[in-house]
Amino acid sequence: MQIILFGAPGVGKGTQAKILSQKYNIKHISTGDILRHAIAERTDLGNAAKEVVERGDLVPDNLIGRLVKETLINMDYKKGFILDGFPRTITQCGLLDRIFEELKIENPYFVILKADTEIVVNRLTNRRLCTECATIVNIKDLDDTQTCPNCGARNTCIKREDDKDSVVRKRLEIYRKTTFPVIDYYKDKYTLAILNGTDPIDVVTQNIIKVLS
Ligand code: ADP
Ligand code: ZN
């Protein structure tokens, strides 16, 4: 099963991708996670991307295109994957087309999650990421904000650098202007499923599963 999961920052792509990758036993490829990991590890890629990511801008298309291609080539992509965070520009669509052509990936599912801006701003503002287990949490859902509800680690759920207020607005603006047109690019090529990202997590998951089956 090959899935492209698409939608605005904060719409729930990462959360759903993690659930689906376990359910279908396929790899979750999150370009954002790969970049954040590289930044934390201070690799060449991380050092090159750090400033751009933390101020909410997009890293160069070629860099991210190469990253996705390498990731796919180095795994059993025939078995399936969930692509989360790519493509994000029309140029990246062209890059992805070429990668898919080369690897003979023909009919990926294209799943779009949608949500109102106010809701995603709210979610991003309250979002924390566990540095220990990479779980995404909303502090509004926690009784004890000091303890990770998934792995139990203390004081590891922190705000992403790019979830600060001013950066969030910029990312949403980039999504609206630069990323949203990706839908138009693919609407005649693939069957697109558009689902509501504001439903409860398990409802969104069920709706995605319905589309996939
Ligand atoms: P979100 O979907 O919540 O905005 P991600 O974790 O997907 O966050 O991405 C975080 C950041 O990583 C982006 O704001 C951008 O700087 C960088 N990034 C991730 N994917 C791409 C991509 N396909 N092209 C360019 N930059 C990217
Ligand atoms: Zn944790």
Side-chain angles (χ1 to χ4, degrees):
M1 179 148 350
Q2 292 145 342
I3 305 166
I4 300 168
L5 198 53
F6 186 89
V11 77
K13 299 186 299 291
T15 301
Q16 294 299 329
K18 286 193 176 82
I19 297 171
L20 295 167
S21 84
Q22 284 200 348
K23 175 173 167 62
Y24 294 108
N25 192 24
I26 54 180
K27 195 171 152 93
H28 173 202
I29 305 170
S30 158
T31 47
D33 283 352
I34 296 173
L35 291 171
R36 276 185 293 279
H37 185 75
I39 292 169
E41 298 287 317
R42 298 174 197 271
T43 64
D44 289 346
L45 168 69
N47 293 336
K50 181 175 163 66
E51 251 186 76
V52 182
V53 170
E54 292 182 352
R55 66 164 189 260
D57 282 319
L58 297 179
V59 306
D61 292 324
N62 282 327
L63 183 86
I64 205 87
R66 238 184 297 135
L67 190 71
V68 170
K69 185 172 177 183
E70 273 168 28
T71 306
L72 283 170
I73 287 175
N74 288 317
M75 61 175 267
D76 189 3
Y77 60 83
K78 290 256 186 286
K79 203 175 145 221
F81 54 82
I82 305 173
L83 196 49
D84 158 13
F86 183 91
R88 242 178 167 94
T89 66
I90 296 298
T91 305
Q92 293 181 16
C93 293
L95 296 175
L96 186 64
D97 288 350
R98 264 197 277 154
I99 297 171
F100 278 7
E101 237 170 80
E102 255 181 66
L103 303 182
K104 301 202 167 34
I105 294 166
E106 269 155 11
N107 270 308
Y109 291 94
F110 203 109
V111 178
I112 301 164
L113 297 180
K114 65 174 175 54
D116 289 339
T117 306
E118 272 159 69
I119 293 179
V120 295
V121 168
N122 205 288
R123 282 192 187 168
L124 291 168
T125 309
N126 295 313
R127 174 164 82 175
R128 300 291 183 272
L129 179 70
C130 177
T131 51
E132 203 56 36
C133 71
T135 289
I136 303 161
V137 295
N138 188 310
I139 41 166
K140 291 254 169 88
D141 299 334
L142 302 179
D143 297 326
D144 170 9
T145 55
Q146 317 275 10
T147 310
C148 171
N150 184 54
C151 72
R154 301 269 301 158
N155 301 316
T156 52
C157 292
I158 56 165
K159 198 176 182 117
R160 270 168 47 176
E161 212 43 58
D162 60 345
D163 278 349
K164 301 199 167 126
D165 261 13
S166 58
V167 183
V168 160
R169 276 170 217 292
K170 184 191 213 174
R171 283 161 58 213
L172 288 170
E173 188 59 19
I174 292 176
Y175 174 77
R176 202 175 59 79
K177 277 206 196 126
T178 311
T179 306
F180 192 74
V182 165
I183 297 179
D184 233 28
Y185 181 96
Y186 279 120
K187 75 176 188 311
D188 298 323
K189 187 171 169 111
Y190 300 130
T191 313
L192 311 183
I194 304 177
L195 303 173
N196 193 350
T198 53
D199 287 329
I201 292 175
D202 56 325
V203 175
V204 177
T205 307
Q206 286 315 314
N207 288 335
I208 297 176
I209 292 171
K210 254 187 247 162
V211 166
L212 301 179
S213 58

